[in-house]
Amino acid sequence: MSKTIQSALISVYYKDGLEPLVRLLHQNGVLLYSTGGTQTFIEQLGIPVTAVEDITGYPSIFGGRVKTLHPVVFGGILYRRNLAEDVAQASRHDINPIDLVVVDLYPFEETVASGASDEDIIEKIDIGGISLIRAAAKNYEDVLIVSSRNQYADVVNLLTEKQGATDLEDRRRFAKEAFAMSSGYDRAIHNYFAGSTTDSSDFRQLPAQSLRYGENPHQQATFYGDLNALFDQLNGKELSYNNLVDVDACVSLIDEFTDTTFAIIKHTNACGVATAPTARETYLNALACDPVSAFGGVIITNAKVDLETAEELNKLFMEILIAPDFDPEAITLLSSKKNRILLKRKPVEFSPKMFKTLLNGVLEQDKDNQTETASQFKVVTEKAPSDSEQRALEFALKICKHTKSNTIVLANDGGPSHGQLLASGVGQTSRVDALKQAIEKARTFGFDLKGAVMASDAFFPFSDCVEIAAEAGITAVVQPGGSIRDKDSIDACNQRGMAMVTTGVRHFKH
């Protein structure tokens, strides 16, 4: 059942991203009601808006604790338009319909995380907002509820496409997301009073954002989480399911590095990683690893993107670029492609746990937060790696840890603060195949493997990988060790003058 929106109540804490929606509603002749700061925001846009207190007859009282809690407001949302008795009562009590409710909630979890006082935290328990959301969601047959700023762009597209109207399916979808958000909000409050913390095992408490589709167009998908806490999106379209999976892989990998680093990800695996003193040099070295796979990839750096680097980046078609900061001129240039997604990272602490649905249950495990350094390497060969080889082995191991098993990573070191991925063998059913794939790929892009190093995510049960690596010119190897046939690969290294170190830690990634 299609319904045209004729009136809307807008009362939000965060105003960013709101303007396009307000302007569209105004263009469609929608009567706007609002409160406090949101009312001022709309008035400053030069758009007429009616104060809620003008229709309730009551001002905002008790320090803002009571603004919208009134039968005129809730009656306008809750009365059933297809029920004659409700319509008659609305008319008798001068209750006008409200067809759209745009409300977000006080930032309770953010206030808790900030270390605020108990008094300040309690004041961030939203009463009116959560009640408006539940009322509008309950009456989704007649009312559209927008309960998060993450939904503004979606609503603008929806109302533009349908000329100011919504279908029952649309309203039910937004109601579902509203109830997911409200239940999560209440869970966070409960956890505060219970003195407990939350993690992603309580994912349904997080804000819910419907995605265009899942891994493939025939799959529905929802993201539970607050992307606004992670990134400021400076440009581009809405993130998709596959975008989010790649962004997660990017963030996990880049956080392994402290030197200036660029990583290029394709289907969650690194096709280019480099460290160097300057952002531009680092990016170009990362791109050189595999410029073919880099096309359409996701790029992340831990360095500020300046104009010089942006000019190089702008030559490549990429889906997403993630950085901790951008020069203004770089943003202007990179935003010239309207669909290119630019994300500015914010410092956020992630859950130490990972979850995966499996069979008729859920797997939980600790995240793989362990990364071995040269101080933990055990030299098992007659020859020890040089300082340069040790740096390259550390670099390769970081990438190996974040690459699909079975994997082999080939890398080199160009001096302090210099490292480059040469190639990797990704997700192969045998380690020999992974190594052969990596060698062939490195040679395809013109890399000389003489003096390169090799990292493996698991031990070598046979000497074959060492023999193949030696023939390619590789001089040092890092691997977990632990095979009953470790001596075979160690002997093979000794016979060929190679260095091998073991870590005692396996890094499978399935």
Side-chain angles (χ1 to χ4, degrees):
M1 184 192 323
S2 180
K3 286 185 174 289
T4 299
I5 294 174
Q6 298 179 336
S7 58
L9 170 61
I10 307 175
S11 181
V12 297
Y13 187 87
Y14 294 106
K15 315 301 187 296
D16 46 310
L18 181 63
E19 181 177 346
L21 177 57
V22 173
R23 290 196 181 280
L24 178 63
L25 294 172
H26 176 58
Q27 291 167 11
N28 290 345
V30 176
L31 176 63
L32 303 180
Y33 302 103
S34 192
T35 63
T38 309
Q39 177 189 338
T40 301
F41 174 83
I42 295 172
E43 289 172 341
Q44 289 174 345
L45 296 177
I47 293 174
V49 57
T50 299
V52 165
E53 62 188 53
D54 289 344
I55 62 172
T56 64
Y58 279 88
S60 173
I61 55 177
F62 309 131
R65 283 189 165 197
V66 179
K67 295 190 290 283
T68 56
L69 295 169
H70 193 280
V72 170
V73 175
F74 281 85
I77 296 169
L78 282 165
Y79 89 80
R80 293 156 288 190
R81 278 60 157 175
N82 63 344
L83 200 62
E85 183 178 353
D86 280 14
V87 173
Q89 288 184 11
S91 176
R92 186 160 58 249
H93 296 290
D94 294 324
I95 295 175
N96 294 317
I98 297 174
D99 306 317
L100 167 66
V101 175
V102 182
V103 177
D104 63 8
L105 300 175
Y106 293 155
F108 179 82
E109 290 180 275
E110 292 90 335
T111 305
V112 173
S114 73
S117 66
D118 184 68
E119 181 181 359
D120 289 339
I121 290 170
I122 297 304
E123 286 308 309
K124 288 299 185 289
I125 298 176
D126 207 313
I127 304 300
I130 201 77
S131 301
L132 289 168
I133 288 170
R134 290 178 61 83
K138 177 177 180 176
N139 201 25
Y140 70 88
E141 290 198 2
D142 297 308
V143 181
L144 176 68
I145 173 61
V146 178
S147 55
S148 168
R149 54 183 165 165
N150 295 329
Q151 299 171 328
Y152 293 166
D154 189 8
V155 176
V156 168
N157 292 335
L158 177 67
L159 297 182
T160 300
E161 177 186 345
K162 298 186 177 180
Q163 299 180 326
T166 62
D167 297 331
L168 182 61
E169 181 182 354
D170 302 323
R171 298 191 295 277
R172 186 180 178 91
R173 172 169 67 89
F174 278 88
K176 177 194 72 172
E177 294 179 8
F179 282 122
M181 185 279 305
S182 68
S183 64
Y185 193 78
D186 286 339
R187 176 72 66 85
I189 296 170
H190 165 267
N191 287 335
Y192 173 72
F193 278 93
S196 62
T197 59
T198 63
D199 55 37
S200 54
S201 62
D202 299 315
F203 73 94
R204 291 193 181 276
Q205 75 175 278
L206 302 171
Q209 179 179 342
S210 290
L211 305 175
R212 294 193 301 274
Y213 52 82
E215 200 164 10
N216 299 289
H218 61 276
Q219 296 170 266
Q220 293 184 346
T222 302
F223 175 72
Y224 292 92
D226 184 5
L227 291 175
N228 291 307
L230 298 173
F231 308 105
D232 287 327
Q233 183 164 346
L234 307 178
N235 188 68
K237 58 187 178 182
E238 181 183 345
L239 288 161
S240 69
Y241 178 99
N242 290 330
N243 287 158
L244 290 169
V245 173
D246 282 335
V247 167
D248 177 70
C250 279
V251 169
S252 297
L253 175 57
I254 203 70
D255 285 349
E256 297 282 355
F257 298 91
T258 55
D259 291 330
T260 298
T261 305
F262 263 87
I264 306 173
I265 299 292
K266 199 68 173 290
H267 303 303
T268 75
N269 291 303
C271 61
V273 184
T275 59
T278 68
R280 180 180 181 274
E281 180 185 1
T282 306
Y283 165 66
L284 291 176
N285 288 348
L287 179 63
C289 300
D290 184 351
V292 174
S293 296
F295 182 86
V298 178
I299 301 178
I300 189 166
T301 180
N302 57 9
K304 184 177 184 178
V305 175
D306 54 28
L307 180 59
E308 185 182 33
T309 309
E311 287 171 343
E312 297 294 342
L313 285 159
N314 198 48
K315 298 174 184 177
L316 178 71
F317 168 70
M318 71 186 87
E319 287 274 352
I320 304 170
L321 174 62
I322 310 166
D325 203 1
F326 298 80
D327 279 343
E329 300 86 354
I331 295 173
T332 300
L333 176 61
L334 293 167
S335 298
S336 60
K337 304 287 194 305
K338 68 176 183 178
N339 287 330
R340 177 186 287 156
I341 299 169
L342 302 180
L343 300 177
K344 180 179 175 181
R345 283 192 71 182
K346 300 177 182 178
V348 173
E349 184 176 345
F350 294 105
S351 168
K353 298 290 185 179
M354 295 178 64
F355 301 86
K356 182 178 183 179
T357 58
L358 194 72
L359 300 174
N360 64 343
V362 177
L363 285 174
E364 175 187 350
Q365 69 169 347
D366 296 335
K367 283 188 175 178
D368 185 0
N369 289 326
Q370 184 165 330
T371 304
E372 296 72 47
T373 63
S375 64
Q376 298 160 288
F377 291 169
K378 178 183 178 182
V379 179
V380 294
T381 49
E382 295 167 0
K383 180 181 179 181
S386 66
D387 290 346
S388 176
E389 287 171 332
Q390 281 202 132
R391 288 193 299 266
L393 290 170
E394 285 184 328
F395 178 85
L397 194 59
K398 291 175 181 179
I399 301 169
C400 189
K401 170 184 165 183
H402 293 275
T403 307
K404 293 287 186 181
S405 300
N406 284 324
T407 185
I408 293 287
V409 170
L410 308 180
N412 66 12
D413 169 71
S417 301
H418 283 80
Q420 186 178 30
L421 170 66
L422 302 181
S424 57
V426 178
Q428 298 300 305
T429 52
S430 83
R431 205 157 299 282
V432 170
D433 286 343
L435 175 56
K436 288 180 177 178
Q437 181 193 53
I439 291 172
E440 181 181 356
K441 194 169 186 181
R443 288 172 174 166
T444 296
F445 295 109
F447 290 111
D448 182 356
L449 294 177
K450 186 177 180 180
V453 306
M454 173 173 74
S456 173
D457 62 331
F459 59 65
F460 298 114
F462 305 102
S463 63
D464 45 12
C465 280
V466 170
E467 293 163 358
I468 295 168
E471 290 175 7
I474 292 164
T475 58
V477 181
V478 60
Q479 56 119 336
S483 168
I484 60 173
R485 300 186 63 169
D486 274 348
K487 189 174 184 300
D488 290 355
S489 59
I490 294 170
D491 288 346
C493 282
N494 286 330
Q495 291 166 11
R496 291 161 176 80
M498 297 170 65
M500 177 180 282
V501 299
T502 59
T503 64
V505 179
R506 188 184 72 189
H507 288 291
F508 274 161
K509 186 183 179 189
H510 291 154

